[in-house]
Short mmCIF file of all heavy atoms in Angstrom, two decimals:
data_model
loop_
_atom_site.label_atom_id
_atom_site.label_comp_id
_atom_site.label_asym_id
_atom_site.label_seq_id
_atom_site.Cartn_x
_atom_site.Cartn_y
_atom_site.Cartn_z
N LEU A 1 229.85 205.68 175.33
CA LEU A 1 228.80 204.96 176.04
C LEU A 1 229.35 204.31 177.31
O LEU A 1 228.68 204.28 178.34
CB LEU A 1 228.19 203.89 175.13
CG LEU A 1 227.30 204.39 173.99
CD1 LEU A 1 226.84 203.22 173.13
CD2 LEU A 1 226.10 205.16 174.52
N GLU A 2 230.57 203.80 177.23
CA GLU A 2 231.16 203.16 178.41
C GLU A 2 231.41 204.19 179.51
O GLU A 2 231.18 203.91 180.69
CB GLU A 2 232.47 202.48 178.01
CG GLU A 2 233.07 201.59 179.08
CD GLU A 2 232.25 200.35 179.36
OE1 GLU A 2 231.34 200.01 178.57
OE2 GLU A 2 232.51 199.70 180.39
N GLU A 3 231.85 205.37 179.13
CA GLU A 3 232.08 206.42 180.12
C GLU A 3 230.79 206.85 180.80
O GLU A 3 230.75 207.08 182.01
CB GLU A 3 232.74 207.63 179.46
CG GLU A 3 232.94 208.80 180.41
CD GLU A 3 233.26 210.11 179.69
OE1 GLU A 3 233.42 210.08 178.45
OE2 GLU A 3 233.28 211.15 180.35
N LEU A 4 229.71 206.94 180.01
CA LEU A 4 228.45 207.46 180.54
C LEU A 4 227.61 206.41 181.26
O LEU A 4 226.87 206.75 182.19
CB LEU A 4 227.64 208.08 179.40
CG LEU A 4 228.26 209.29 178.70
CD1 LEU A 4 227.41 209.71 177.52
CD2 LEU A 4 228.43 210.44 179.68
N PHE A 5 227.69 205.15 180.81
CA PHE A 5 226.78 204.14 181.35
C PHE A 5 227.48 202.86 181.81
O PHE A 5 226.83 202.02 182.45
CB PHE A 5 225.74 203.76 180.29
CG PHE A 5 224.93 204.92 179.78
CD1 PHE A 5 225.21 205.49 178.55
CD2 PHE A 5 223.90 205.46 180.55
CE1 PHE A 5 224.46 206.57 178.07
CE2 PHE A 5 223.16 206.53 180.08
CZ PHE A 5 223.44 207.09 178.84
N GLY A 6 228.75 202.68 181.52
CA GLY A 6 229.42 201.41 181.79
C GLY A 6 230.06 201.33 183.17
O GLY A 6 229.94 202.24 184.00
N SER A 7 230.74 200.22 183.40
CA SER A 7 231.46 200.02 184.65
C SER A 7 232.73 200.85 184.67
O SER A 7 233.26 201.23 183.63
CB SER A 7 231.83 198.53 184.81
OG SER A 7 230.68 197.72 184.80
N THR A 8 233.19 201.14 185.86
CA THR A 8 234.43 201.89 186.03
C THR A 8 235.44 201.04 186.77
O THR A 8 235.08 200.19 187.59
CB THR A 8 234.18 203.20 186.80
OG1 THR A 8 235.43 203.86 187.03
CG2 THR A 8 233.52 202.94 188.15
N SER A 9 236.71 201.23 186.45
CA SER A 9 237.75 200.48 187.12
C SER A 9 238.02 201.00 188.53
O SER A 9 238.64 200.31 189.35
CB SER A 9 239.05 200.53 186.30
OG SER A 9 239.45 201.89 186.08
N ALA A 10 237.56 202.21 188.80
CA ALA A 10 237.74 202.79 190.14
C ALA A 10 236.83 202.09 191.14
O ALA A 10 235.79 201.54 190.78
CB ALA A 10 237.45 204.28 190.11
N LYS A 11 237.24 202.11 192.39
CA LYS A 11 236.42 201.52 193.45
C LYS A 11 235.20 202.38 193.68
O LYS A 11 235.30 203.59 193.85
CB LYS A 11 237.23 201.39 194.74
CG LYS A 11 236.47 200.65 195.84
CD LYS A 11 237.34 200.49 197.09
CE LYS A 11 236.56 199.74 198.18
NZ LYS A 11 237.37 199.57 199.41
N VAL A 12 234.03 201.78 193.66
CA VAL A 12 232.78 202.51 193.85
C VAL A 12 232.08 201.99 195.10
O VAL A 12 232.22 200.82 195.48
CB VAL A 12 231.85 202.39 192.62
CG1 VAL A 12 232.47 203.07 191.42
CG2 VAL A 12 231.55 200.93 192.30
N GLU A 13 231.30 202.85 195.73
CA GLU A 13 230.60 202.50 196.95
C GLU A 13 229.17 203.02 196.89
O GLU A 13 228.84 203.88 196.06
CB GLU A 13 231.31 203.07 198.18
CG GLU A 13 232.71 202.53 198.40
CD GLU A 13 232.75 201.06 198.80
OE1 GLU A 13 231.67 200.52 199.17
OE2 GLU A 13 233.83 200.45 198.75
N PHE A 14 228.32 202.52 197.78
CA PHE A 14 226.98 203.05 197.93
C PHE A 14 227.05 204.44 198.58
O PHE A 14 228.00 204.75 199.31
CB PHE A 14 226.13 202.15 198.83
CG PHE A 14 225.85 200.79 198.25
CD1 PHE A 14 226.35 199.64 198.84
CD2 PHE A 14 225.07 200.65 197.11
CE1 PHE A 14 226.09 198.40 198.33
CE2 PHE A 14 224.79 199.41 196.58
CZ PHE A 14 225.31 198.27 197.18
N ASP A 15 226.04 205.27 198.30
CA ASP A 15 225.96 206.50 199.07
C ASP A 15 225.28 206.19 200.40
O ASP A 15 224.87 205.05 200.67
CB ASP A 15 225.25 207.61 198.29
CG ASP A 15 223.76 207.35 198.08
OD1 ASP A 15 223.21 206.42 198.71
OD2 ASP A 15 223.13 208.09 197.30
N ASP A 16 225.16 207.19 201.26
CA ASP A 16 224.68 206.94 202.63
C ASP A 16 223.28 206.34 202.66
O ASP A 16 222.99 205.44 203.45
CB ASP A 16 224.71 208.25 203.42
CG ASP A 16 226.13 208.74 203.68
OD1 ASP A 16 227.05 207.91 203.57
OD2 ASP A 16 226.31 209.95 203.94
N SER A 17 222.38 206.86 201.79
CA SER A 17 221.00 206.37 201.80
C SER A 17 220.91 204.94 201.28
O SER A 17 220.07 204.14 201.73
CB SER A 17 220.11 207.29 200.95
OG SER A 17 220.57 207.35 199.62
N GLU A 18 221.78 204.56 200.34
CA GLU A 18 221.75 203.22 199.77
C GLU A 18 222.43 202.20 200.67
O GLU A 18 221.99 201.04 200.75
CB GLU A 18 222.45 203.22 198.41
CG GLU A 18 221.77 204.10 197.35
CD GLU A 18 222.68 204.37 196.18
OE1 GLU A 18 223.91 204.14 196.28
OE2 GLU A 18 222.16 204.86 195.14
N LEU A 19 223.49 202.62 201.36
CA LEU A 19 224.31 201.68 202.12
C LEU A 19 223.51 200.96 203.20
O LEU A 19 223.55 199.73 203.31
CB LEU A 19 225.50 202.41 202.74
CG LEU A 19 226.44 201.56 203.60
CD1 LEU A 19 227.04 200.43 202.76
CD2 LEU A 19 227.54 202.43 204.21
N GLN A 20 222.76 201.72 204.00
CA GLN A 20 222.03 201.11 205.11
C GLN A 20 220.92 200.22 204.60
O GLN A 20 220.66 199.15 205.16
CB GLN A 20 221.48 202.20 206.02
CG GLN A 20 220.88 201.67 207.32
CD GLN A 20 221.89 200.86 208.13
OE1 GLN A 20 223.00 201.30 208.38
NE2 GLN A 20 221.50 199.66 208.54
N ILE A 21 220.25 200.64 203.53
CA ILE A 21 219.17 199.82 202.97
C ILE A 21 219.73 198.50 202.47
O ILE A 21 219.17 197.42 202.74
CB ILE A 21 218.45 200.57 201.84
CG1 ILE A 21 217.80 201.85 202.36
CG2 ILE A 21 217.39 199.67 201.20
CD1 ILE A 21 217.24 202.74 201.27
N PHE A 22 220.82 198.57 201.72
CA PHE A 22 221.40 197.33 201.17
C PHE A 22 221.87 196.41 202.29
O PHE A 22 221.69 195.20 202.22
CB PHE A 22 222.56 197.66 200.23
CG PHE A 22 223.19 196.44 199.62
CD1 PHE A 22 222.59 195.79 198.57
CD2 PHE A 22 224.38 195.92 200.14
CE1 PHE A 22 223.15 194.64 198.02
CE2 PHE A 22 224.95 194.78 199.60
CZ PHE A 22 224.33 194.14 198.53
N LYS A 23 222.46 196.99 203.35
CA LYS A 23 222.91 196.18 204.48
C LYS A 23 221.73 195.48 205.14
O LYS A 23 221.83 194.31 205.51
CB LYS A 23 223.66 197.05 205.49
CG LYS A 23 224.34 196.27 206.61
CD LYS A 23 225.12 197.18 207.51
CE LYS A 23 225.87 196.38 208.58
NZ LYS A 23 225.01 195.49 209.37
N ASN A 24 220.61 196.20 205.29
CA ASN A 24 219.42 195.58 205.88
C ASN A 24 218.90 194.43 205.02
O ASN A 24 218.49 193.38 205.53
CB ASN A 24 218.32 196.63 206.07
CG ASN A 24 218.68 197.66 207.12
OD1 ASN A 24 219.55 197.43 207.96
ND2 ASN A 24 218.01 198.81 207.08
N ILE A 25 218.91 194.64 203.69
CA ILE A 25 218.47 193.58 202.76
C ILE A 25 219.38 192.37 202.87
O ILE A 25 218.94 191.22 202.97
CB ILE A 25 218.43 194.12 201.32
CG1 ILE A 25 217.34 195.19 201.17
CG2 ILE A 25 218.21 192.99 200.33
CD1 ILE A 25 217.36 195.91 199.85
N GLN A 26 220.68 192.63 202.85
CA GLN A 26 221.66 191.55 202.92
C GLN A 26 221.54 190.77 204.22
O GLN A 26 221.59 189.53 204.22
CB GLN A 26 223.06 192.14 202.76
CG GLN A 26 224.15 191.15 202.44
CD GLN A 26 225.44 191.85 202.11
OE1 GLN A 26 225.80 192.85 202.72
NE2 GLN A 26 226.18 191.32 201.14
N ASP A 27 221.37 191.49 205.33
CA ASP A 27 221.25 190.83 206.63
C ASP A 27 220.00 189.94 206.68
O ASP A 27 220.04 188.84 207.22
CB ASP A 27 221.19 191.87 207.75
CG ASP A 27 222.53 192.56 207.97
OD1 ASP A 27 223.54 192.05 207.47
OD2 ASP A 27 222.54 193.63 208.62
N GLU A 28 218.90 190.45 206.10
CA GLU A 28 217.65 189.67 206.12
C GLU A 28 217.79 188.40 205.29
O GLU A 28 217.31 187.33 205.68
CB GLU A 28 216.51 190.53 205.59
CG GLU A 28 215.14 189.87 205.69
CD GLU A 28 214.77 189.55 207.13
OE1 GLU A 28 214.98 190.39 208.02
OE2 GLU A 28 214.29 188.41 207.37
N LEU A 29 218.44 188.50 204.14
CA LEU A 29 218.62 187.34 203.28
C LEU A 29 219.57 186.32 203.89
O LEU A 29 219.43 185.11 203.68
CB LEU A 29 219.13 187.78 201.91
CG LEU A 29 218.16 188.60 201.05
CD1 LEU A 29 218.86 189.08 199.78
CD2 LEU A 29 216.92 187.79 200.69
N ASN A 30 220.57 186.81 204.65
CA ASN A 30 221.61 185.93 205.20
C ASN A 30 221.24 185.30 206.54
O ASN A 30 221.97 184.42 207.02
CB ASN A 30 222.92 186.70 205.37
CG ASN A 30 223.64 186.90 204.06
OD1 ASN A 30 223.46 186.12 203.13
ND2 ASN A 30 224.44 187.94 203.96
N LYS A 31 220.17 185.75 207.16
CA LYS A 31 219.82 185.22 208.48
C LYS A 31 219.72 183.69 208.44
O LYS A 31 219.07 183.12 207.59
CB LYS A 31 218.47 185.79 208.94
CG LYS A 31 218.56 187.18 209.54
CD LYS A 31 217.19 187.64 210.01
CE LYS A 31 217.24 189.07 210.57
NZ LYS A 31 215.89 189.54 210.96
N SER A 32 220.37 183.07 209.42
CA SER A 32 220.39 181.60 209.47
C SER A 32 219.29 181.04 210.37
O SER A 32 219.33 179.87 210.74
CB SER A 32 221.75 181.11 209.95
OG SER A 32 222.08 181.67 211.22
N ASP A 33 218.33 181.87 210.73
CA ASP A 33 217.22 181.45 211.58
C ASP A 33 216.40 180.37 210.87
O ASP A 33 215.90 180.57 209.75
CB ASP A 33 216.34 182.67 211.90
CG ASP A 33 215.28 182.37 212.95
OD1 ASP A 33 215.02 181.18 213.20
OD2 ASP A 33 214.74 183.33 213.52
N ARG A 34 216.25 179.21 211.52
CA ARG A 34 215.53 178.10 210.89
C ARG A 34 214.05 178.41 210.71
O ARG A 34 213.38 177.78 209.88
CB ARG A 34 215.70 176.84 211.74
CG ARG A 34 217.14 176.32 211.79
CD ARG A 34 217.22 175.03 212.57
NE ARG A 34 216.46 173.96 211.93
CZ ARG A 34 216.35 172.74 212.44
NH1 ARG A 34 216.91 172.45 213.61
NH2 ARG A 34 215.64 171.83 211.81
N ASP A 35 213.54 179.36 211.44
CA ASP A 35 212.13 179.73 211.31
C ASP A 35 211.87 180.58 210.07
O ASP A 35 210.72 180.92 209.78
CB ASP A 35 211.67 180.51 212.54
CG ASP A 35 211.60 179.62 213.78
OD1 ASP A 35 211.41 178.40 213.61
OD2 ASP A 35 211.73 180.15 214.90
N LEU A 36 212.93 180.93 209.34
CA LEU A 36 212.78 181.75 208.13
C LEU A 36 213.14 180.98 206.86
O LEU A 36 213.32 181.58 205.81
CB LEU A 36 213.67 183.00 208.24
CG LEU A 36 213.36 183.96 209.38
CD1 LEU A 36 214.36 185.11 209.42
CD2 LEU A 36 211.94 184.52 209.24
#
């Protein structure tokens, strides 16, 4: 079960389609604009 569904000790990254979306989400949440 750990092999099929669990965490891995290897370094993992987003794929290309996920990376940009996550970065956009993170940037929007982190904006320090007082109007938001």
Side-chain angles (χ1 to χ4, degrees):
L1 288 177
E2 190 68 13
E3 177 195 354
L4 296 175
F5 303 102
S7 301
T8 176
S9 57
K11 186 177 180 180
V12 294
E13 297 292 346
F14 294 115
D15 69 11
D16 292 341
S17 59
E18 297 164 345
L19 179 60
Q20 189 58 50
I21 298 172
F22 181 78
K23 188 176 184 306
N24 293 340
I25 293 172
Q26 196 172 38
D27 289 345
E28 186 60 44
L29 293 174
N30 283 335
K31 279 182 182 177
S32 57
D33 189 343
R34 294 184 63 182
D35 290 334
L36 297 177

